[in-house]
Amino acid sequence: METLEGVELLLQPHGRRILFRPFLLAFCFILLQFHPRLSGDTISAGHFITGNQTITSKGGKFELGYFSLGSPARYYIGIWYTDVKDDNVVWVANRDTPLQNNIAELKISEDGSSLVIQTKSGSLIWSTNSTPTPSSHPAARVAVLQNNGNLALMDGNSSSAAVVWESFDHPTDTFLPDGRVGVNKVTKQYIAITSWKSKDDPSSGLLSQKINPNGSLELPLY
């Protein structure tokens, strides 16, 4: 392959007087607003991301989970910088297949070959469309959000584990510092970035940047 961030609340059910003191009320609000995370930077087989759950890269620079845009809200699973307030999304999984809520699950497929977004009823919303490489030990496969913002499906959680699929091969509109642009001479698949349709719509836009088809290192816009 070529390759180039103080009020008491009184409730009286059935005539009984129940007293909620201020600190208990505050504790309830904290529980409601808690932003849960899965363990560390990894999604392992049998686990998934849904709702407000996220994973964060070990360095704390990137986070993966649901975000929403537009009105009415459309929901996407993506990666964003944790230390940037606006325009911080760097990768979107289901950019062309938005969801109406955040209850679908991002997980590793049962055979371990792909990452998928699937509804609780089993409908497939998005898939990595990895080259079919089912594992003889699918339970060993993990998806790791790496320190450079790359989401990698791997054959294990060691640094030497084989990479089955990675988001750096399928960017959306952003090249990260360790990312790349190129073309696979066997599959003819381009690694390219494509603009968002608008600021509030991450679906594929009109502009794309990729390596010149004639093999030169120019990066024309298409």
Side-chain angles (χ1 to χ4, degrees):
M1 178 179 291
E2 296 177 346
T3 62
L4 251 123
E5 149 192 70
V7 176
E8 293 179 344
L9 178 64
L10 300 176
L11 296 179
Q12 297 178 319
H14 307 295
R16 296 182 61 186
R17 189 173 186 268
I18 302 176
L19 179 63
F20 285 83
R21 296 195 179 278
F23 76 93
L24 291 176
L25 188 60
F27 180 71
C28 291
F29 280 122
I30 291 172
L31 288 178
L32 289 173
Q33 296 176 16
F34 180 68
H35 196 60
R37 287 174 169 80
L38 296 185
S39 177
D41 61 351
T42 301
I43 304 171
S44 54
H47 294 80
F48 51 82
I49 284 181
T50 189
N52 290 329
Q53 295 172 331
T54 65
I55 57 173
T56 305
S57 61
K58 284 185 177 179
K61 189 173 184 178
F62 294 97
E63 190 170 10
L64 180 147
Y66 270 105
F67 68 96
S68 63
L69 292 171
S71 180
R74 301 179 303 276
Y75 289 83
Y76 305 87
I77 289 179
I79 298 170
W80 57 85
Y81 282 108
T82 59
D83 57 353
V84 177
K85 183 178 180 180
D86 299 314
D87 297 326
N88 59 352
V89 176
V90 299
W91 183 78
V92 187
N94 59 317
R95 68 183 304 184
D96 293 313
T97 51
L99 291 155
Q100 295 180 343
N101 53 55
N102 64 352
I103 61 176
E105 300 167 348
L106 172 66
K107 58 187 178 181
I108 300 171
S109 62
E110 290 185 3
D111 65 1
S113 67
S114 303
L115 272 172
V116 299
I117 298 175
Q118 200 167 32
T119 66
K120 294 184 181 298
S121 63
S123 298
L124 183 65
I125 303 300
W126 172 87
S127 171
T128 57
N129 293 321
S130 311
T131 301
T133 53
S135 172
S136 57
H137 301 287
R141 286 203 169 161
V142 295
V144 180
L145 180 57
Q146 300 175 337
N147 288 329
N148 57 7
N150 186 33
L151 177 63
L153 178 62
M154 307 176 69
D155 258 334
N157 54 14
S158 70
S159 58
S160 60
V163 175
V164 178
W165 176 93
E166 56 187 329
S167 61
F168 271 6
D169 282 342
H170 306 272
T172 48
D173 72 327
T174 304
F175 279 130
L176 292 171
D178 289 339
R180 52 188 173 268
V181 60
V183 60
N184 188 311
K185 291 184 177 181
V186 176
T187 65
K188 308 301 181 184
Q189 179 186 18
Y190 283 94
I191 300 175
I193 57 173
T194 302
S195 64
W196 285 25
K197 186 167 289 186
S198 71
K199 184 177 181 179
D200 294 326
D201 186 353
S203 60
S204 301
L206 298 177
L207 295 176
S208 180
Q209 189 173 42
K210 59 185 178 182
I211 196 169
N212 196 307
N214 66 17
S216 71
L217 297 182
E218 299 173 356
L219 289 175
L221 287 171
Y222 293 88

